[in-house]
Amino acid sequence: MVWNGTLRLMTVSTVKASSRASAWDTVRGKPGRDGQDFEASFIRLLDKVTNGSRIEINQTGTVLFYQPGLLNGGSVEHDCNTQRSVGYYLEALLMLAPFMKTPLKATLRGVTNDPIDPTVDMLKTTALPLMKKFGIDGEGFDLKVVKRGMAPGGGGEVFFSCPVRRTIKPVQLTDPGKIKRIRGVAYSVRVSPQMANRLVDSARGVLNQFIPDIYIHTDHMKGAHSGKSPGFGLTLVAETLNGSFLSAEMSSTPQGQGDPSLPEDLGRNCAMLLLEEVYRGGCVDSSNQSLALLLMTLGQQDVSKVLLGPLSPYTIEFLRHIRDFFQIMFKLDVQKPSEDERKGGEKVLMTCVGVGYSNINKTLK
């Protein structure tokens, strides 16, 4: 298994630490052992969606032996540890859900938005459209926020459902096209609703200089749907002419941790992050590079091509995992745009032949 928010399918491995766990430790300034609670919660979630998994952890909690069982699916409820957001757990479910025995219907509770992991809003607007390009689509394919919960208290609830697929189709995503519109959501809980409006105004102040078609929805949840901690944040998504989605997001500083955030600064910085993501370019944004590469690997025995921006350190480590467990090597072609094209920074064209993975639970009728 891969221990950084994703899974190495159908293998046995001994794992010592996750790259994302070390990222958490760096942010919090704590030694590695303090991050065990959310990792244990992640293992419990895997146990719920599989049948016959074998898990052994040594006495010091530094070595994990994991022998995967069959991906079962069905209705699952899980209370996620509030050290990490629901997005940390959802990343793994997005990669596993299409290969379940029965369609997955998962209800996850905890922190829906924090400054560390991908938020539910971003995964909904970028990861789901990406999976649809690989043929993972259907009436039951949905991700919605029932209750919103900010760090550190949490109290949010998310519902994720995904149909099963027998195979993944290869893709050719080589031309992202130009940006045609920008959408987003500004959310606020247990603070004044005016916070979301201030986020929208500051973000539009930056983005209106480049494109007129901008709509940012404000989402203010009250009462039982607002979680246990105050906070606010912004998620922005730029859509291209060819149906690619590039995203950026920022959340306010969790209550009691560090200096408080100003909505004007957060909105402006988030808009600048989106412009940086557009400059990086590619058909997949930096937060979903690993998901695209895994689906390319598991596709049919045909050539898949995806144009990416500069590879993130997380993606580079993920490529090493793919090489170790699937014996798949990607061909990387670095493309440098000429100065007159104005197409941003260097791009990387990723090419591979899929392993022809087939869902053993899905029989042809």
Side-chain angles (χ1 to χ4, degrees), residues 68-118:
L70 294 174
L71 295 170
N72 196 38
S75 296
V76 174
E77 292 190 11
H78 184 67
D79 293 325
C80 303
N81 188 277
T82 54
Q83 285 181 325
R84 302 296 287 265
S85 79
V86 170
Y88 172 80
Y89 304 85
L90 268 177
E91 282 185 303
L93 292 185
L94 287 170
M95 295 178 175
L96 294 176
F99 309 106
M100 301 285 182
K101 183 176 181 179
T102 57
L104 178 66
K105 296 180 179 179
T107 301
L108 304 179
R109 300 182 183 90
V111 176
T112 58
N113 305 80
D114 75 358
I116 301 173
D117 295 300

Side-chain angles (χ1 to χ4, degrees), residues 27-195:
V27 171
R28 296 294 183 224
K30 297 179 180 179
R33 291 197 60 183
D34 288 347
Q36 288 181 349
D37 291 344
F38 71 85
E39 292 174 334
S41 177
F42 180 68
I43 295 172
R44 284 194 291 271
L45 175 60
L46 296 184
D47 192 43
K48 289 180 180 179
V49 299
T50 59
N51 184 17
S53 295
R54 180 183 166 205
I55 303 166
E56 296 178 7
I57 302 175
N58 71 342
Q59 291 182 345
T60 59
T62 56
V63 177
L64 164 73
F65 176 85
Y66 181 78
Q67 183 172 354
L70 294 174
L71 295 170
N72 196 38
S75 296
V76 174
E77 292 190 11
H78 184 67
D79 293 325
C80 303
N81 188 277
T82 54
Q83 285 181 325
R84 302 296 287 265
S85 79
V86 170
Y88 172 80
Y89 304 85
L90 268 177
E91 282 185 303
L93 292 185
L94 287 170
M95 295 178 175
L96 294 176
F99 309 106
M100 301 285 182
K101 183 176 181 179
T102 57
L104 178 66
K105 296 180 179 179
T107 301
L108 304 179
R109 300 182 183 90
V111 176
T112 58
N113 305 80
D114 75 358
I116 301 173
D117 295 300
T119 64
V120 178
D121 303 280
M122 191 181 77
L123 292 175
K124 179 178 181 178
T125 53
T126 58
L128 265 59
L130 174 64
M131 294 173 70
K132 290 178 181 179
K133 294 180 184 294
F134 287 88
I136 304 169
D137 198 0
E139 186 178 343
F141 193 40
D142 191 22
L143 174 61
K144 58 185 177 183
V145 180
V146 181
K147 301 177 183 177
R148 198 176 288 279
M150 301 292 293
E157 183 176 318
V158 173
F159 177 75
F160 171 59
S161 61
C162 180
V164 293
R165 286 292 174 266
R166 180 171 176 81
T167 56
I168 301 296
K169 70 179 185 180
V171 297
Q172 302 283 328
L173 305 176
T174 56
D175 182 15
K178 295 183 178 180
I179 304 297
K180 67 175 180 180
R181 62 182 171 216
I182 294 175
R183 296 292 181 262
V185 55
Y187 50 86
S188 58
V189 292
R190 298 193 174 274
V191 294
S192 168
Q194 195 63 28
M195 291 291 193

Side-chain angles (χ1 to χ4, degrees), residues 297-338:
T297 302
L298 296 175
Q300 293 304 287
Q301 292 180 336
D302 200 353
V303 176
S304 289
K305 293 183 179 181
V306 173
L307 185 69
L308 302 178
L311 301 182
S312 66
Y314 181 73
T315 303
I316 294 171
E317 186 65 30
F318 192 83
L319 283 171
R320 296 190 179 110
H321 294 321
I322 289 178
R323 179 197 61 195
D324 294 341
F325 286 86
F326 293 105
Q327 285 75 52
I328 290 289
M329 297 283 284
F330 281 79
K331 179 184 177 185
L332 281 67
D333 292 323
V334 179
Q335 300 181 354
K336 297 183 179 181
S338 59

